[in-house]
Amino acid sequence: MIHHPDGRQQRWRQHLAMCRKRLSAPTPMVVEGKLSRMVGLTLEAVGCQAPVGGRCWVETAYREKIEAEVVGFAGEHLYLMPVGDVYGLEPQCRVIPSGQPSVARVGMGLLGRVLDGAGHPLDGKGPLQYESIRPLQGRPLNPLTRQPVEEPLDVGVRAINALLTVGRGQRLGLFAGTGVGKSVLLGMMTRFTSAQVVVVGLIGERGREVNDFVRNILGPEGLARAVVVATPADQPPLMRMHGALLATAIAEYFRDQGKDVLLLMDSLTRFAQAHREIALAIDEPPATKGYPPSVFARLPALVERAGCGEAGKGSITAFYTVLVEGDDHNDPIADSARGILDGHIVLSRELAESGHYPAIDVEASISRVMADIVPHSQLEAARRLRKHYSLYQGNRDLITLGAYQAGSDPRIDRAIEMQPGIAEFLQQGMHEPVSLAQSVESLTRLMAET
């Protein structure tokens, strides 16, 4: 049977060919424009033409050039967003279209390196070795040609392995408020997950966390099989968006080389906030709690790039952290992310404050592919543990106050009896890896008498 690629794939191939042609061809004659207005971080240029996504150079009063990207237009006016500092700009500055789109340069030489959102090295280890280029926006995959999620992935965390089993090629969200331990849990999965390549996107987080993540969480051994893309909170919104897109493009490259990739993005919320800043700056009206409609189109476009590849290629198993502002799980970004991801792991502030680590709320968490990739015996054991856990949590106030009388309900009596073992099972040290086989064995042994 002859396979005919669909229109989206053909358009992507044409776009990739255009990118290669533009990068290899000499720069054509361009018409320069002038900077007419600057409001916030939005630059308005007149007298030149460039497509949305095209790059331009803006010359400052000190004859330095600042890179900017076209994010919109109105009539003869182009709206630009700078990717760096805007110091030195003045009215009537020269605006020079580069004639080239934003691309991701990828290759095996990226392993062990730390990059910024533009793909430049941050680690001082010399120039990067590239093999090819890819469109920064990625290529769409025909959903019918994707391989299904069929086998579990060992992430080294007992509660996740046993109760929320992750499939190779699955996309999950890690939902938590600030200071609940999501970054530390990501670090555990970075070190313990059985993936060939790890791509980490640190988007809009504190700059201190970048150095701490590379030195203390990854370490030399973990960094050897990883690529880190870091765009801290002090970077312009366009650079933060590019950081997320670049991390995903790098993961796609390794997937197409037949590798099983683990993509960790911290955080999806900061990516959405960066896009909100850009959209509001070019006068897109806000819709839901200050987020313009285009934000909710950007999220699935980013997330859908992860997952299993086509036949003969690898997979991208992705974890996206979602910052739940004010512990409100009905936040627009959290609510949208739950609908486009293949499961979610919720971290509880109450558990974290009680010293329970990792603070995974097993009642509120779910893996939508677990039923397809684990044996029935594990599903049944996980169901029984959840039942005991929920019964105890639902009656905890009565039990703590002494209002519950033993023997009133045999199910609650059994849940009270099981609680110490369940609490011990759900907790794990941050430097203590637990394999998938060990996790399932511990679950089976704990539930054997129920």
Side-chain angles (χ1 to χ4, degrees):
M1 182 177 65
I2 300 177
H3 172 67
H4 295 280
D6 62 10
R8 295 189 304 168
Q9 291 178 316
Q10 287 191 351
R11 287 194 297 272
W12 175 81
R13 292 191 180 97
Q14 293 170 356
H15 180 55
L16 180 59
M18 179 191 68
C19 292
R20 288 174 174 158
K21 182 177 179 181
R22 287 186 175 181
L23 287 174
S24 60
T27 303
M29 293 291 294
V30 295
V31 178
E32 297 181 6
K34 297 291 184 180
L35 188 64
S36 63
R37 190 173 67 157
M38 176 178 175
V39 179
L41 289 178
T42 307
L43 310 179
E44 188 174 320
V46 294
C48 58
Q49 290 187 352
V52 172
R55 294 186 297 166
C56 297
W57 296 101
V58 184
E59 191 175 85
T60 70
Y62 307 107
R63 297 299 182 264
E64 297 177 348
K65 289 184 178 179
I66 296 174
E67 185 179 354
E69 182 175 304
V70 180
V71 295
F73 58 87
E76 298 180 355
H77 297 258
L78 289 183
Y79 298 121
L80 310 175
M81 189 66 63
V83 298
D85 192 6
V86 295
Y87 181 76
L89 292 182
E90 63 180 0
Q92 303 302 309
C93 283
R94 294 171 63 201
V95 178
I96 310 166
S98 70
Q100 297 178 350
S102 296
V103 295
R105 293 173 172 84
V106 294
M108 299 300 293
L110 298 183
L111 289 175
R113 304 303 301 269
V114 182
L115 321 176
D116 65 9
H120 302 141
L122 293 174
D123 50 16
K125 296 181 180 179
L128 297 167
Q129 300 298 321
Y130 301 108
E131 295 175 8
S132 63
I133 62 169
R134 304 177 68 96
L136 195 62
Q137 299 294 335
R139 75 180 183 104
L141 285 178
N142 185 337
L144 296 181
T145 64
R146 284 182 183 263
Q147 295 299 298
V149 179
E150 296 179 322
E151 57 180 292
L153 179 71
D154 185 356
V155 298
V157 180
R158 183 169 47 234
I160 298 177
N161 278 340
L163 304 177
L164 303 163
T165 309
V166 178
R168 198 176 296 275
Q170 187 177 359
R171 299 156 302 189
L172 287 102
L174 195 59
F175 292 71
T178 55
V180 184
K182 62 182 183 303
S183 296
V184 179
L185 182 57
L186 276 183
M188 290 176 64
M189 291 188 288
T190 303
R191 296 192 305 272
F192 304 152
T193 298
S194 56
Q196 295 171 297
V197 176
V198 178
V199 180
V200 182
L202 301 176
I203 312 301
E205 298 299 320
R206 294 181 292 272
R208 176 193 61 80
E209 290 185 338
V210 176
N211 194 38
D212 181 65
F213 192 94
V214 173
R215 291 178 180 270
N216 302 326
I217 296 180
L218 271 180
E221 184 178 348
L223 185 60
R225 63 178 181 128
V227 183
V228 179
V229 179
T231 53
D234 61 341
Q235 296 292 311
L238 187 65
M239 185 65 77
R240 280 177 267 145
M241 283 189 61
H242 279 192
L245 297 173
L246 177 61
T248 307
I250 293 171
E252 288 175 324
Y253 167 78
F254 286 110
R255 177 184 64 189
D256 292 346
Q257 301 301 309
K259 306 290 186 183
D260 289 321
V261 183
L262 176 67
L263 172 62
L264 305 174
M265 191 166 295
D266 187 12
S267 68
L268 191 65
T269 304
R270 303 302 187 198
F271 170 80
Q273 290 173 345
H275 182 73
R276 176 177 64 179
E277 291 179 42
I278 295 173
L280 293 178
I282 59 176
D283 295 331
E284 184 178 351
T288 306
K289 293 189 177 179
Y291 287 97
S294 59
V295 171
F296 302 101
R298 278 279 192 172
L299 291 178
L302 178 69
V303 169
E304 282 295 324
R305 293 170 61 181
C308 291
E310 298 168 339
K313 297 184 179 180
S315 64
I316 301 175
T317 306
F319 285 87
Y320 300 91
T321 65
V322 180
L323 180 61
V324 182
E325 298 182 1
D327 292 333
D328 178 14
H329 287 269
N330 292 320
D331 172 84
I333 300 303
D335 193 46
S336 177
R338 274 194 298 268
I340 60 179
L341 293 169
D342 302 323
H344 50 271
I345 299 171
V346 178
L347 301 186
S348 165
R349 184 173 300 278
E350 182 180 359
L351 289 174
E353 290 174 348
S354 67
H356 184 290
Y357 186 83
I360 298 174
D361 185 346
V362 297
E363 290 182 289
S365 305
I366 187 173
S367 171
R368 292 193 174 107
V369 305
M370 179 177 175
D372 301 324
I373 59 175
V374 303
H376 178 74
S377 57
Q378 182 183 343
L379 282 176
E380 184 61 23
R383 185 193 64 80
R384 292 200 303 270
L385 186 146
R386 286 174 177 270
K387 182 184 71 172
H388 291 309
Y389 183 85
S390 297
L391 271 173
Y392 182 84
Q393 295 298 324
N395 295 275
R396 186 177 59 176
D397 291 342
L398 292 176
I399 297 168
T400 303
L401 294 172
Y404 174 76
Q405 297 295 320
S408 301
D409 189 331
R411 299 177 306 158
I412 299 178
D413 293 339
R414 184 56 178 158
I416 295 173
E417 182 183 346
M418 293 290 297
Q419 178 56 25
I422 292 176
E424 182 180 357
F425 175 83
L426 295 177
Q427 297 183 67
Q428 180 179 335
M430 63 180 295
H431 299 292
E432 173 196 354
V434 181
S435 70
L436 178 63
Q438 292 172 332
S439 303
V440 176
E441 181 184 357
S442 298
L443 174 65
T444 304
R445 186 169 58 249
L446 179 63
M447 294 292 106
E449 299 179 0
T450 61

